Amino acid sequence: GEDVEQSLFLSVREGDSSVINCTYTDSSSTYLYWYKQEPGAGLQLLTYIFSNMDMKQDQRLTVLLNKKDKHLSLRIADTQTGDSAIYFCAETVGSGGGADGLTFGKGTHLIIQP
Amino acid sequence: NAGVMQNPRHLVRRRGQEARLRCSPMKGHSHVYWYRQLPEEGLKFMVYLQKENIIDESGMPKERFSAEFPKEGPSILRIQQVVRGDSAAYFCASSNGVEQYFGPGTRLTVT
């Protein structure tokens, strides 16, 4: 079955890099996503990666995918107070070419220390 | 280009009443998804619709819950005879392929 696991909390100092990790169980995952949720708000799509890629970089964000170990990570460079939020890892599995429903982890609370 | 819109943002219902949640997808998007988020939990997929069709309802409870996306107008998630366990945030997302964009959610409280 599908399962996505994340650590619940991560604490980093302002200016350092944050690395949020995620593991998934379904080897037929097609796309993997990172979303950000601030208190009381909806989810903001940060980035996503196709399963045949190893890495994707977008400004301060770097996504690494280890398909063999079913491990996904999100690195945020130069972490700022505005990065404080819950970060969700998600995958889509199925034959819909990425248009299927997403399976989410429980989210990682990123806490920024001054 | 307006984002995904949901209304109401907050909804209070007494046990046994009906709840109707509305979602207007982003302009040009033909795929709509509904998710439920319980406190301190991730989002759980409920249903995936395209215009006038339910594509995947594998996450929908078998009873009391239904969803539609008519040819005209918003997508509707309907919960009949609500119970306290239905209290949650319900999020809608829209897409035209790979990227799903989420609305702000409807927070349902059942008293």
Side-chain angles (χ1 to χ4, degrees):
Chain A
E2 303 162 5
D3 203 7
V4 178
E5 299 283 343
Q6 300 179 241
S7 299
L8 286 183
F9 295 97
L10 176 66
S11 179
V12 298
R13 288 193 178 153
E14 191 175 355
D16 287 351
S17 290
S18 305
V19 180
I20 304 170
N21 295 301
C22 169
T23 57
Y24 59 97
T25 55
D26 200 314
S27 58
S28 57
S29 295
T30 49
Y31 290 90
L32 295 126
Y33 302 78
W34 285 104
Y35 282 87
K36 175 184 180 183
Q37 186 180 34
E38 296 181 77
L43 274 71
Q44 175 191 352
L45 176 62
L46 291 177
T47 186
Y48 65 94
I49 189 167
F50 186 46
S51 58
N52 70 351
M53 296 171 64
D54 298 326
M55 186 182 89
K56 182 177 181 181
Q57 188 156 4
D58 184 1
Q59 299 182 333
R60 290 193 298 127
L61 305 179
T62 303
V63 177
L64 294 177
L65 175 60
N66 181 328
K67 199 171 180 182
K68 175 176 168 289
D69 295 337
K70 298 184 189 129
H71 182 266
L72 182 74
S73 67
L74 174 70
R75 178 178 179 269
I76 306 172
D78 187 24
T79 308
Q80 302 298 311
T81 54
D83 296 323
S84 180
I86 303 174
Y87 290 80
F88 290 96
C89 171
E91 63 174 352
T92 182
V93 178
S95 57
D100 304 284
L102 301 177
T103 299
F104 283 86
K106 291 189 176 182
T108 298
H109 294 243
L110 179 61
I111 300 163
I112 315 301
Q113 298 174 359
Chain B
N1 188 7
V4 178
M5 293 193 289
Q6 292 188 247
N7 67 80
R9 294 291 308 275
H10 299 274
L11 182 61
V12 180
R13 284 288 176 266
R14 290 182 179 166
R15 279 179 298 169
Q17 290 184 320
E18 179 179 284
R20 283 196 184 199
L21 288 63
R22 294 174 186 79
C23 169
S24 296
M26 285 178 70
K27 188 176 180 181
H29 283 188
S30 59
H31 305 237
V32 166
Y33 308 80
W34 286 95
Y35 295 84
R36 176 164 64 177
Q37 186 179 35
L38 295 170
E40 302 303 318
E41 293 281 326
L43 278 72
K44 299 292 186 188
F45 166 73
M46 299 179 77
V47 62
Y48 162 31
L49 309 104
Q50 294 181 19
K51 284 285 186 183
E52 299 184 280
N53 286 305
I54 296 174
I55 307 302
D56 180 0
E57 57 181 346
S58 58
M60 285 280 269
K62 297 293 183 220
E63 297 176 350
R64 303 189 296 109
F65 286 71
S66 62
E68 62 177 11
F69 188 17
K71 189 176 179 181
E72 301 290 337
S75 175
I76 307 285
L77 179 69
R78 184 182 292 111
I79 312 171
Q80 296 177 302
Q81 299 175 322
V82 296
V83 300
R84 287 223 171 102
D86 297 332
S87 294
Y90 291 82
F91 290 95
C92 166
S94 76
S95 168
N96 241 1
V98 173
E99 300 174 13
Q100 290 188 25
Y101 294 93
F102 281 77
T106 294
R107 278 150 183 85
L108 173 66
T109 302
V110 179
T111 61

